[in-house]
Amino acid sequence: MTAAIMAARWVRSAAADRRHWEPNPDPRGRSAMAGDPASLYSGAAGIVLFFLELAAATGHEEYLEDARAGALHLAATWRERTDLSLYHGLAGVVFALGEAGWATGDERIGAAARAGADHLAHAVRRMDGGVGWTGDPAQRGDGGIVLGLLHAAGMLGVPLYEEVAVAAGERIAGLAVPGHRFGGDSCAGLPTDAVTPGFLSGTAGTAFLLARLYGVTRDERYLAAARRGADFVRTVSVVTDRCAFVPHHVPQGRGLHYLGFCSGSAGVARMFYELYRVTGDPGDLDWVERLAHGIVQSGVPGRQTAGYWNVACQCCGTAGLLELFVGLWAATGREAHLDFARSLAGNLIGRATGHDGRGYRWYQAYRRLRPWEVTADTGYMVGAAGIGAALLHLDAAGQASSPRRLIMLPDNPFPAIPVPAALLRESS
């Protein structure tokens, strides 16, 4: 909790009139990935979520006011978003507005969330094989927008959003191997014939989406498509004893195993857990445990590997692993998962910089192939806001006597109240 509060101090030091935040307030600093200043990935939408969670955790009204001010700025500017995606565009802004409107009760924020979601629903267009927005089936494209609309349908109570999401999902389900993305223009820096099985821009993330759609509709077409994606991921993975590792890309990168959320084990485990959640198949849970065991056996957080380098953030670093193991503990009740989560949190806190009294930030080499580019960011997926949120999720874990709801992004399948059901029954 203390570390999360110190992270908030750093983020607040980057505030521009309490409505939005600089990506890196170092005097000579620059952002690892500034992107859209409103985005969920690295901008204001993600920071709003962090302040909402900190307000709920501490009871301090000042954090809720920070979140409200940021959300009102998003409400006034959402029409400027040309990117419609979840992590980098409007769908992520709508998610943040929906959560902020619910937490604050401010109807201006809720109305903006509905208006933004309406825009997403009506922006869908016809394309080969059905309807969509970008043509990209992965989480970074249409897949993320579908997840955003599914969340908005429940949060805002508008059935149309689910109808559009399901219709767009039909096109994705019709692909031979859903989520296949090749290198070249679609994945800069990869060979043109490379295929990415990971989460944000690959097969696993799209299979997660299709499993989610199966859970919503019980339409077997979605489950069959999700299974095709999951089978591909299994086929290309390296399995040894009780461990599994997913290659960053194939066929060239079979030996490069990311451990984080975006392209590695932590993200792929979400896909298998979602399949387990909607089907109850123990084979899917077994794969979740294999991926988690592989992370533990790799020697992290004390040891760096080719797929776990000098990076702390939610996207590809330690905070993303922390989210996985807190979620696994909440789902299974296995103490080993919580113990490992605590070791990850200890590593994060030990790596924080706060010598100047401006709060905690984490200097990291966000881009693995540019280890000399070391930056400290404020955003959710790349910086202090997301690291602070992950620490708050661990803080909440196990508080059966006073459980609180956490803000889980639409692609997080784990319980929003991080207390195993058995413990909740014992405390009632």
Side-chain angles (χ1 to χ4, degrees), residues 204-225:
T206 308
F208 172 96
L209 163 71
L210 293 162
R212 176 65 54 84
L213 285 168
Y214 170 70
V216 170
T217 66
R218 291 295 157 179
D219 187 327
E220 292 290 337
R221 292 177 299 168
Y222 295 113
L223 180 58

Side-chain angles (χ1 to χ4, degrees), residues 99-371:
E99 292 288 342
W102 183 85
T104 65
D106 192 318
E107 180 51 34
R108 296 170 295 176
I109 299 173
R114 288 188 291 274
D118 284 347
H119 181 78
L120 286 173
H122 290 102
V124 72
R125 59 189 177 87
R126 294 205 169 275
M127 53 184 61
D128 290 343
V131 297
W133 296 268
T134 69
D136 183 345
Q139 292 266 20
R140 68 180 186 183
D142 287 1
I145 300 172
V146 169
L147 287 173
L149 282 175
L150 288 175
H151 176 272
M155 176 66 76
L156 304 175
V158 181
L160 171 67
Y161 304 154
E162 182 178 310
E163 294 169 13
V164 173
V166 170
E170 290 179 7
R171 174 183 170 274
I172 298 172
L175 300 174
V177 181
H180 256 31
R181 299 300 299 166
F182 293 88
D185 293 338
S186 64
C187 291
L190 295 185
T192 56
D193 61 341
V195 177
T196 54
F199 200 77
L200 272 191
S201 60
T203 310
T206 308
F208 172 96
L209 163 71
L210 293 162
R212 176 65 54 84
L213 285 168
Y214 170 70
V216 170
T217 66
R218 291 295 157 179
D219 187 327
E220 292 290 337
R221 292 177 299 168
Y222 295 113
L223 180 58
R227 288 289 182 208
R228 291 199 302 274
D231 288 347
F232 170 75
V233 173
R234 284 192 180 98
T235 299
V236 301
S237 294
V238 175
V239 180
T240 59
D241 192 22
R242 291 291 302 156
C243 302
F245 298 92
V246 182
H248 180 266
H249 61 281
V250 292
Q252 303 89 348
R254 288 188 180 276
L256 176 58
H257 304 133
Y258 275 33
L259 299 183
F261 160 74
C262 59
S263 302
S265 300
V268 175
R270 292 189 182 193
M271 179 266 289
F272 282 111
Y273 186 77
E274 181 71 4
L275 276 168
Y276 171 72
R277 193 182 69 83
V278 299
T279 68
D281 188 333
D284 296 315
L285 185 59
D286 178 69
W287 262 81
V288 177
E289 295 286 4
R290 284 178 180 273
L291 290 160
H293 194 58
I295 293 172
V296 174
Q297 291 301 306
S298 72
V300 304
R303 174 175 177 259
Q304 290 189 2
T305 70
Y308 177 84
W309 59 101
N310 178 24
V311 64
C313 64
Q314 286 257 8
C315 184
C316 41
T318 313
L321 302 185
L322 178 56
E323 290 281 18
L324 170 66
F325 282 90
V326 170
L328 278 177
W329 177 77
T332 68
R334 289 190 56 207
E335 283 296 319
H337 291 318
L338 192 58
D339 289 342
F340 191 67
R342 291 185 178 122
S343 74
L344 293 166
N347 177 267
L348 276 172
I349 295 169
R351 291 163 62 187
T353 294
H355 63 280
D356 56 2
R358 296 172 62 202
Y360 281 179
R361 61 277 204 185
W362 285 262
Y363 289 94
Q364 61 177 6
Y366 170 74
R367 291 179 173 85
R368 180 180 64 87
L369 297 178
R370 302 178 190 173

Side-chain angles (χ1 to χ4, degrees), residues 5-14 22 24-27 353-361 363:
I5 291 170
M6 292 295 286
R9 181 180 296 179
W10 163 250
V11 175
R12 288 178 116 191
S13 75
E22 298 174 22
N24 183 343
D26 267 351
T353 294
H355 63 280
D356 56 2
R358 296 172 62 202
Y360 281 179
R361 61 277 204 185
Y363 289 94

